[in-house]
Amino acid sequence: MLRVRFAPSPTGYLHIGGARTCLFNWLYARKMGGKFILRIEDTDLARSKKEYLDEILNSVKWLGMDWDELYYQSQRFDIYKEYAQKLIDSGKACQKDGAVFFKYDFTSVKFNDLIRGEVIFNELPKEEEVIVKSDGSPTYNFCCVIDDALLEINCVIRGEDHISNTPKQLLMYQALGLSIPDFAHVPLILSPDGGRLSKRHGATAISEYRALGYLPEALANYLMLLSWSPGDNREIISLNEARGIFDIKNVNKTGAAFNLDKLKWINAGYIKTKSPKDLEDLAYEYLTGKNFLPAGTSKEYVGKVAFLLRERVATLGDILDSGRFCFYDDYAYAEDTAPILAKNMAKEINALGEKLTAMSDFGVAAIEKEFRAVCEAAGIKAKELVHPVRVALCGRRNGPGLFETMEVLGKDAVIKRLERLTQYWGSVTK
Ligand code: GLU
């Protein structure tokens, strides 16, 4: 049975590269009917933090993955100690100043990588490396090998940045007489300019994307496509579908560049296709979490707003800006509305206000009918009134469909906002 593991160190948040490695492990385990193991590499007691651990576990779950077994290296120090003793007893390691050192005796080392093919390391120096520090904490290349062997991991899928550790680990397997797993080193996620992806290119932690209002299924979908493809130029694929077809051997060797626009496009696509109810739940949870909603805002109202804006937002976070007018009416009219505001249409707006006030069914169709009647009576084209009314309702030139917006805002808010615009005209013409 296939046993794979994701082995994050809780010395930082789960970043997009780690999350993609985790996804590949999880997908492969699920595809093969194997086990997905989460191993927390928290041997560095000083740098490991509970805050990071919680974030990693939450982010893995949030992205839609589950694990079959969970281990903490900090709880396995006795095991590493025992193996260090074995190495000392067999003369392969020595103790100096309270620390234990292992001597890598390189000649030539090679292994067959499932993604990259044969990888050969020639003429590596004879190097000594500490495997247990003087404070008793074991180091990465040592415990990684012991755990991969004892947890019966038979395929190690990890970032390409660990290729350089692999020859050392192979020698460690040999020294300890443990059986060697398969390896698959996945290419790194690159910055848009082809370099190393860093903070400078934007958010790197999964929790940051969550805070920005990305949906987990969209982020998982996007990350999967970095260095893997389901074929047929497909770009939208769920974890559920991917777990049916994923094969680690089909991951590309070359690094893929992170493209925020593409991620946004995918996220926007997922938002657009949510059911009104799901959208309501998501938006309400998100906006509540941001402490954004005025006291007393109903969940139902948030749902209507989110549905109104669904074609215009790429993330839930976009609602904070482009949807603010739905929750607050203290906005100033945007500067670029000046040409629209230059024409005083108080008469028509007042007429519209009167008609709307008299309405009992404040639905889109009825609103549109009254609106057109007012324009006709005034002898103007509908669009002449659409622009100032939109400015009145949203403070901006652009926004979602005007009649839909009116329905969502509700009669009282619409009337109030129309009055505000006529007052504005009154004040500038005085
Ligand atoms: N703790 C290591 C890391 O986070 C794990 C590397 C590995 O998968 O072997 O990079």
Side-chain angles (χ1 to χ4, degrees):
M1 183 197 280
L2 178 75
R3 288 178 61 86
V4 296
R5 86 315 191 262
F6 176 56
S9 304
T11 52
Y13 297 117
L14 181 65
H15 54 82
I16 51 178
R20 203 259 326 245
T21 301
C22 186
L23 274 166
F24 284 174
N25 271 288
W26 183 85
L27 287 170
Y28 195 40
R30 294 297 170 253
K31 163 69 186 159
M32 303 296 288
K35 295 282 181 216
F36 172 65
I37 288 128
L38 197 55
R39 184 173 75 226
I40 305 301
E41 302 211 322
D42 53 356
T43 53
D44 188 334
L45 302 173
R47 287 175 57 229
S48 296
K49 299 234 155 36
K50 168 97 170 56
E51 177 197 347
Y52 295 135
L53 170 67
D54 291 345
E55 191 268 351
I56 292 169
L57 297 179
N58 284 333
S59 291
V60 170
K61 278 190 269 187
W62 179 72
L63 284 170
M65 294 176 275
D66 52 352
W67 52 85
D68 302 304
E69 296 166 28
L70 173 64
Y71 299 92
Y72 293 86
Q73 287 191 324
S74 58
Q75 294 169 4
R76 299 167 62 83
F77 276 24
D78 288 350
I79 301 175
Y80 311 129
K81 220 162 133 188
E82 189 189 308
Y83 277 85
Q85 194 57 50
K86 277 189 194 168
L87 288 175
I88 296 168
D89 293 347
S90 61
K92 291 172 183 157
C94 61
Q95 272 176 299
K96 267 186 267 178
D97 305 327
V100 182
F101 291 83
F102 180 78
K103 200 173 213 135
Y104 294 104
D105 194 0
F106 289 114
T107 42
S108 159
V109 177
K110 64 179 180 190
F111 67 97
N112 192 36
D113 191 284
L114 296 181
I115 296 172
R116 316 169 65 86
E118 191 170 58
V119 181
I120 305 176
F121 291 86
N122 285 318
E123 297 175 41
L124 284 156
K126 286 185 190 277
E127 210 181 308
E128 230 179 33
E129 191 173 79
V130 62
I131 55 170
V132 182
K133 294 194 229 166
S134 50
D135 68 1
S137 60
T139 59
Y140 166 68
N141 281 317
F142 177 55
C143 0
C144 178
V145 166
I146 295 171
D147 282 341
D148 283 341
L150 297 189
L151 303 177
E152 295 174 4
I153 304 301
N154 42 28
C155 183
V156 169
I157 300 170
R158 60 184 169 199
E160 189 183 77
D161 47 334
H162 286 289
I163 287 195
S164 57
N165 288 316
T166 310
K168 290 184 178 175
Q169 294 182 8
L170 290 169
L171 294 177
M172 187 64 78
Y173 279 103
Q174 282 164 11
L176 292 168
L178 298 168
S179 71
I180 296 173
D182 286 338
F183 290 95
H185 288 91
V186 303
L188 299 183
I189 299 177
L190 306 171
S191 68
D193 51 31
R196 215 187 151 82
L197 190 66
S198 73
K199 276 281 358 138
R200 172 168 76 79
H201 303 103
T204 52
I206 296 301
S207 48
E208 287 177 89
Y209 283 95
R210 183 177 184 173
L212 287 167
Y214 285 86
L215 304 187
E217 56 273 50
L219 190 52
N221 185 149
Y222 177 68
L223 292 177
M224 272 191 278
L225 297 185
L226 292 171
S227 299
W228 177 74
S229 145
D232 307 330
N233 287 328
R234 259 187 90 178
E235 307 217 277
I236 301 301
I237 181 164
S238 67
L239 279 186
N240 220 3
E241 286 170 282
R243 64 186 278 177
I245 55 173
F246 184 83
D247 189 335
I248 195 68
K249 294 176 206 81
N250 293 341
V251 169
N252 300 331
K253 275 202 270 288
T254 43
F258 186 75
N259 180 336
L260 190 60
D261 289 334
K262 178 91 177 271
L263 169 59
K264 279 193 182 159
W265 175 78
I266 291 181
N267 202 68
Y270 275 88
I271 287 184
K272 244 182 268 184
T273 51
K274 285 278 168 207
S275 71
K277 178 72 183 102
D278 286 350
L279 205 50
E280 175 180 310
D281 291 345
L282 284 165
Y284 189 72
E285 194 194 326
Y286 181 79
L287 297 173
T288 309
K290 291 277 170 196
N291 264 329
F292 172 77
L293 299 173
T297 309
S298 75
K299 184 162 180 251
E300 193 195 347
Y301 182 70
V302 173
K304 284 184 185 166
V305 169
F307 192 72
L308 175 72
L309 298 171
R310 74 194 181 286
E311 303 271 355
R312 309 181 64 85
V313 293
T315 64
L316 297 173
D318 287 347
I319 300 176
L320 300 172
D321 176 43
S322 57
R324 189 181 180 279
F325 76 89
C326 296
F327 302 99
Y328 296 92
D329 60 7
D330 59 352
Y331 45 82
Y333 300 137
E335 259 175 51
D336 64 358
T337 63
I340 297 169
L341 294 178
K343 185 162 177 221
N344 187 325
M345 295 188 72
K347 202 163 71 106
E348 292 82 353
I349 297 254
N350 279 333
L352 177 67
E354 269 170 39
K355 286 279 187 198
L356 298 180
T357 307
M359 287 175 72
S360 50
D361 157 29
F362 205 67
V364 178
I367 295 169
E368 179 166 3
K369 201 166 148 237
E370 295 295 347
F371 189 93
R372 294 197 185 280
V374 169
C375 294
E376 204 169 315
I380 56 169
K381 288 198 187 109
K383 72 168 188 226
E384 288 180 68
L385 195 56
V386 163
H387 295 303
V389 170
R390 175 165 288 126
V391 175
L393 301 184
C394 318
R396 301 181 175 200
R397 296 175 71 101
N398 301 307
L402 190 66
F403 307 123
E404 286 82 1
T405 303
M406 289 167 116
E407 184 191 82
V408 169
L409 287 173
K411 189 157 92 175
D412 293 349
V414 169
I415 305 284
K416 198 169 149 207
R417 291 172 189 212
L418 292 180
E419 279 169 2
R420 179 178 161 201
L421 180 58
T422 54
Q423 278 160 18
Y424 164 86
W425 274 319
S427 68
V428 288
T429 46
K430 249 177 236 157

Short mmCIF file of all heavy atoms in Angstrom, two decimals, residues 66-90:
data_model
loop_
_atom_site.label_atom_id
_atom_site.label_comp_id
_atom_site.label_asym_id
_atom_site.label_seq_id
_atom_site.Cartn_x
_atom_site.Cartn_y
_atom_site.Cartn_z
N ASP A 66 -7.60 15.79 4.17
CA ASP A 66 -7.65 15.14 5.48
C ASP A 66 -6.44 14.22 5.57
O ASP A 66 -5.86 13.87 4.56
CB ASP A 66 -8.94 14.33 5.63
CG ASP A 66 -9.16 13.37 4.46
OD1 ASP A 66 -8.39 13.45 3.46
OD2 ASP A 66 -10.06 12.54 4.51
N TRP A 67 -6.04 13.89 6.77
CA TRP A 67 -4.90 12.98 6.92
C TRP A 67 -5.32 11.74 7.65
O TRP A 67 -6.28 11.74 8.42
CB TRP A 67 -3.74 13.68 7.63
CG TRP A 67 -4.12 14.34 8.92
CD1 TRP A 67 -4.20 13.78 10.14
CD2 TRP A 67 -4.49 15.73 9.10
NE1 TRP A 67 -4.59 14.70 11.08
CE2 TRP A 67 -4.77 15.92 10.46
CE3 TRP A 67 -4.59 16.83 8.24
CZ2 TRP A 67 -5.16 17.16 11.00
CZ3 TRP A 67 -4.99 18.05 8.76
CH2 TRP A 67 -5.26 18.20 10.13
N ASP A 68 -4.58 10.65 7.40
CA ASP A 68 -4.91 9.37 8.02
C ASP A 68 -4.15 9.16 9.32
O ASP A 68 -4.61 8.45 10.20
CB ASP A 68 -4.58 8.23 7.04
CG ASP A 68 -5.34 8.40 5.73
OD1 ASP A 68 -6.58 8.50 5.78
OD2 ASP A 68 -4.69 8.48 4.67
N GLU A 69 -2.98 9.75 9.40
CA GLU A 69 -2.16 9.61 10.62
C GLU A 69 -1.43 10.93 10.83
O GLU A 69 -1.10 11.61 9.87
CB GLU A 69 -1.13 8.48 10.45
CG GLU A 69 -1.75 7.10 10.28
CD GLU A 69 -0.75 6.05 9.77
OE1 GLU A 69 0.46 6.19 10.03
OE2 GLU A 69 -1.21 5.11 9.09
N LEU A 70 -1.20 11.24 12.09
CA LEU A 70 -0.51 12.50 12.41
C LEU A 70 0.59 12.22 13.43
O LEU A 70 0.33 11.56 14.45
CB LEU A 70 -1.53 13.49 12.99
CG LEU A 70 -1.02 14.82 13.54
CD1 LEU A 70 -0.38 15.68 12.46
CD2 LEU A 70 -2.18 15.60 14.20
N TYR A 71 1.78 12.69 13.16
CA TYR A 71 2.91 12.47 14.07
C TYR A 71 3.62 13.79 14.34
O TYR A 71 3.64 14.68 13.49
CB TYR A 71 3.92 11.49 13.46
CG TYR A 71 3.33 10.13 13.18
CD1 TYR A 71 2.78 9.85 11.93
CD2 TYR A 71 3.30 9.14 14.17
CE1 TYR A 71 2.21 8.61 11.67
CE2 TYR A 71 2.73 7.90 13.91
CZ TYR A 71 2.18 7.64 12.67
OH TYR A 71 1.61 6.43 12.42
N TYR A 72 4.17 13.86 15.53
CA TYR A 72 4.98 15.01 15.91
C TYR A 72 6.38 14.52 16.22
O TYR A 72 6.55 13.65 17.08
CB TYR A 72 4.41 15.69 17.16
CG TYR A 72 3.07 16.34 16.92
CD1 TYR A 72 1.90 15.60 17.03
CD2 TYR A 72 2.99 17.67 16.56
CE1 TYR A 72 0.66 16.18 16.79
CE2 TYR A 72 1.76 18.27 16.33
CZ TYR A 72 0.59 17.52 16.44
OH TYR A 72 -0.62 18.10 16.20
N GLN A 73 7.35 15.05 15.54
CA GLN A 73 8.71 14.58 15.82
C GLN A 73 9.14 14.92 17.24
O GLN A 73 9.93 14.19 17.83
CB GLN A 73 9.69 15.19 14.79
CG GLN A 73 9.53 14.55 13.42
CD GLN A 73 10.64 14.93 12.46
OE1 GLN A 73 11.12 16.06 12.49
NE2 GLN A 73 11.00 14.00 11.58
N SER A 74 8.60 15.98 17.79
CA SER A 74 8.99 16.35 19.17
C SER A 74 8.59 15.27 20.18
O SER A 74 9.11 15.23 21.29
CB SER A 74 8.36 17.69 19.56
OG SER A 74 6.95 17.62 19.45
N GLN A 75 7.67 14.38 19.78
CA GLN A 75 7.26 13.31 20.69
C GLN A 75 8.04 12.02 20.43
O GLN A 75 7.73 10.98 21.00
CB GLN A 75 5.76 13.04 20.52
CG GLN A 75 4.91 14.22 20.97
CD GLN A 75 3.44 14.07 20.58
OE1 GLN A 75 3.03 13.04 20.02
NE2 GLN A 75 2.66 15.11 20.83
N ARG A 76 9.01 12.10 19.55
CA ARG A 76 9.72 10.88 19.14
C ARG A 76 11.23 10.96 19.42
O ARG A 76 12.01 10.20 18.84
CB ARG A 76 9.46 10.63 17.64
CG ARG A 76 7.98 10.43 17.34
CD ARG A 76 7.66 10.50 15.86
NE ARG A 76 8.32 9.48 15.06
CZ ARG A 76 7.87 8.24 14.91
NH1 ARG A 76 6.77 7.85 15.50
NH2 ARG A 76 8.53 7.38 14.15
N PHE A 77 11.58 11.87 20.32
CA PHE A 77 13.00 12.05 20.59
C PHE A 77 13.69 10.77 21.08
O PHE A 77 14.85 10.52 20.76
CB PHE A 77 13.22 13.19 21.61
CG PHE A 77 13.23 14.56 20.97
CD1 PHE A 77 12.61 14.78 19.75
CD2 PHE A 77 13.87 15.63 21.58
CE1 PHE A 77 12.62 16.04 19.15
CE2 PHE A 77 13.89 16.90 20.99
CZ PHE A 77 13.25 17.09 19.77
N ASP A 78 12.95 9.95 21.85
CA ASP A 78 13.54 8.70 22.36
C ASP A 78 13.96 7.78 21.22
O ASP A 78 14.99 7.10 21.28
CB ASP A 78 12.54 7.94 23.25
CG ASP A 78 12.36 8.66 24.57
OD1 ASP A 78 13.16 9.59 24.85
OD2 ASP A 78 11.42 8.30 25.31
N ILE A 79 13.12 7.77 20.19
CA ILE A 79 13.43 6.91 19.04
C ILE A 79 14.73 7.37 18.37
O ILE A 79 15.61 6.57 18.05
CB ILE A 79 12.27 6.94 18.02
CG1 ILE A 79 10.97 6.46 18.68
CG2 ILE A 79 12.60 6.14 16.77
CD1 ILE A 79 9.74 6.58 17.80
N TYR A 80 14.84 8.70 18.18
CA TYR A 80 16.04 9.21 17.49
C TYR A 80 17.29 8.95 18.34
O TYR A 80 18.36 8.66 17.82
CB TYR A 80 15.90 10.71 17.19
CG TYR A 80 14.59 11.08 16.54
CD1 TYR A 80 13.79 12.10 17.04
CD2 TYR A 80 14.12 10.37 15.43
CE1 TYR A 80 12.57 12.42 16.46
CE2 TYR A 80 12.90 10.68 14.84
CZ TYR A 80 12.13 11.71 15.37
OH TYR A 80 10.93 12.01 14.80
N LYS A 81 17.09 9.05 19.64
CA LYS A 81 18.22 8.84 20.56
C LYS A 81 18.75 7.40 20.43
O LYS A 81 19.95 7.16 20.34
CB LYS A 81 17.71 9.04 22.00
CG LYS A 81 18.68 9.77 22.88
CD LYS A 81 17.95 10.29 24.07
CE LYS A 81 18.68 9.98 25.36
NZ LYS A 81 17.85 10.33 26.52
N GLU A 82 17.78 6.50 20.36
CA GLU A 82 18.12 5.09 20.22
C GLU A 82 18.91 4.84 18.92
O GLU A 82 19.92 4.14 18.91
CB GLU A 82 16.78 4.34 20.17
CG GLU A 82 16.81 2.85 20.24
CD GLU A 82 15.40 2.32 19.95
OE1 GLU A 82 14.44 2.79 20.64
OE2 GLU A 82 15.25 1.49 19.05
N TYR A 83 18.46 5.48 17.84
CA TYR A 83 19.15 5.29 16.56
C TYR A 83 20.52 5.99 16.55
O TYR A 83 21.47 5.49 15.95
CB TYR A 83 18.28 5.77 15.39
CG TYR A 83 17.30 4.70 14.98
CD1 TYR A 83 16.08 4.56 15.63
CD2 TYR A 83 17.62 3.79 13.97
CE1 TYR A 83 15.18 3.56 15.29
CE2 TYR A 83 16.73 2.79 13.61
CZ TYR A 83 15.52 2.67 14.27
OH TYR A 83 14.65 1.67 13.92
N ALA A 84 20.61 7.10 17.25
CA ALA A 84 21.91 7.79 17.33
C ALA A 84 22.88 6.87 18.07
O ALA A 84 24.05 6.73 17.68
CB ALA A 84 21.75 9.12 18.06
N GLN A 85 22.39 6.21 19.11
CA GLN A 85 23.23 5.29 19.88
C GLN A 85 23.71 4.13 19.01
O GLN A 85 24.87 3.74 19.05
CB GLN A 85 22.45 4.78 21.11
CG GLN A 85 23.31 4.11 22.17
CD GLN A 85 24.44 5.03 22.67
OE1 GLN A 85 24.18 6.18 23.04
NE2 GLN A 85 25.69 4.55 22.65
N LYS A 86 22.77 3.65 18.16
CA LYS A 86 23.15 2.56 17.26
C LYS A 86 24.30 2.98 16.36
O LYS A 86 25.24 2.22 16.11
CB LYS A 86 21.96 2.18 16.35
CG LYS A 86 20.99 1.24 16.99
CD LYS A 86 19.99 0.75 15.93
CE LYS A 86 18.81 0.09 16.65
NZ LYS A 86 17.68 -0.18 15.78
N LEU A 87 24.22 4.21 15.86
CA LEU A 87 25.27 4.70 14.96
C LEU A 87 26.59 4.87 15.73
O LEU A 87 27.66 4.57 15.20
CB LEU A 87 24.87 6.02 14.31
CG LEU A 87 23.77 5.94 13.24
CD1 LEU A 87 23.38 7.34 12.77
CD2 LEU A 87 24.24 5.11 12.03
N ILE A 88 26.47 5.32 16.96
CA ILE A 88 27.68 5.49 17.77
C ILE A 88 28.31 4.11 18.04
O ILE A 88 29.51 3.89 17.83
CB ILE A 88 27.37 6.20 19.11
CG1 ILE A 88 26.87 7.62 18.85
CG2 ILE A 88 28.59 6.22 20.02
CD1 ILE A 88 26.26 8.32 20.05
N ASP A 89 27.45 3.17 18.42
CA ASP A 89 27.93 1.82 18.75
C ASP A 89 28.60 1.15 17.55
O ASP A 89 29.56 0.40 17.70
CB ASP A 89 26.78 0.93 19.23
CG ASP A 89 26.23 1.41 20.58
OD1 ASP A 89 26.91 2.26 21.21
OD2 ASP A 89 25.13 0.97 20.98
N SER A 90 28.08 1.44 16.37
CA SER A 90 28.67 0.78 15.19
C SER A 90 29.83 1.60 14.62
O SER A 90 30.33 1.30 13.55
CB SER A 90 27.60 0.54 14.13
OG SER A 90 27.07 1.79 13.72
#
